[in-house]
Every structure is written in structure tokens, then in C-alpha cells.
Amino acid sequence: MQIEKIVIQKTVTSIGMKCFMNFELLDTITIENGIREIRQYAFFNSNIPSLTIPKSVVFIDEKAFRNNKELSMIMFEGYQEGEKGFESQVRIYNT
């Protein structure tokens, strides 16, 4: 896909399975507080360099962010479940 920037507004509650799969030019994603879940393969094979997960997220499905070669940092604003869905080289921070 040719999309480079995505803003997921607070009125959206779930990012569906394979929703942004293969968005290889995706450089910036903003997930507003209000999203509750991120489903399996939602961002599979995208190239997001960093990401902030808002505190409203209570569930991240397995492999939600797999095969993201550029993803190196994730900031959690409240989600405490752990690293599920992320590659091992990604640094994960809780705020």
C-alpha cells in the first residue's frame, strides 16, 4: 500500500485482523485513546519505526505487529500484558 501515515481516532474500538497488513510504506501511526484491542496480524509486514499504545488498549492479539523490520520501540501508556505480538528486538516501555 502507498499510505505513509494513519490516525486511528478514539471512536474506533478495535483494529481488526489484517487491517493494515502489508502497508510497507507506513511510517507513522497514531492510535488515539479509545482503542480497546488490536487483533492478530493487524500491522503484519508494515514498517512502523515506533509506536505508542494508549492506556485504553486492554488486548493485543498474538502476531499483531510481526514482521515489522523497522519497529524498534513501543511505548505503553498502561497496557501491562507483556511482549505478546512483538518481535524480540523491540524495546518495550511502560509509562
Side-chain angles (χ1 to χ4, degrees):
M1 279 297 213
Q2 299 296 321
I3 296 172
E4 296 177 16
K5 181 178 180 178
I6 293 173
V7 176
I8 302 173
Q9 298 181 342
K10 62 183 175 184
T11 56
V12 176
T13 58
S14 178
I15 301 172
M17 185 175 172
K18 300 181 182 180
C19 191
F20 299 106
M21 185 175 181
N22 295 321
F23 277 51
E24 294 176 352
L25 296 179
L26 187 58
D27 183 64
T28 305
I29 180 163
T30 302
I31 302 174
E32 294 183 353
N33 199 36
I35 302 292
R36 307 253 325 134
E37 60 184 16
I38 302 172
R39 290 303 198 179
Q40 193 171 27
Y41 300 109
F43 295 96
F44 185 87
N45 201 36
S46 298
N47 287 314
I48 307 161
S50 64
L51 181 67
T52 298
I53 305 290
K55 62 183 173 183
S56 61
V57 174
V58 295
F59 179 76
I60 299 175
D61 211 336
E62 187 177 352
K63 301 179 185 174
F65 294 93
R66 292 282 186 198
N67 204 34
N68 278 271
K69 296 170 186 82
E70 301 298 319
L71 186 60
S72 62
M73 188 190 77
I74 301 161
M75 181 74 78
F76 288 91
E77 295 180 337
Y79 182 81
Q80 301 277 330
E81 186 63 29
E83 301 177 15
K84 192 172 183 181
F86 302 101
E87 301 290 347
S88 61
Q89 76 272 15
V90 176
R91 284 189 221 138
I92 299 174
Y93 299 93
N94 286 310
T95 58

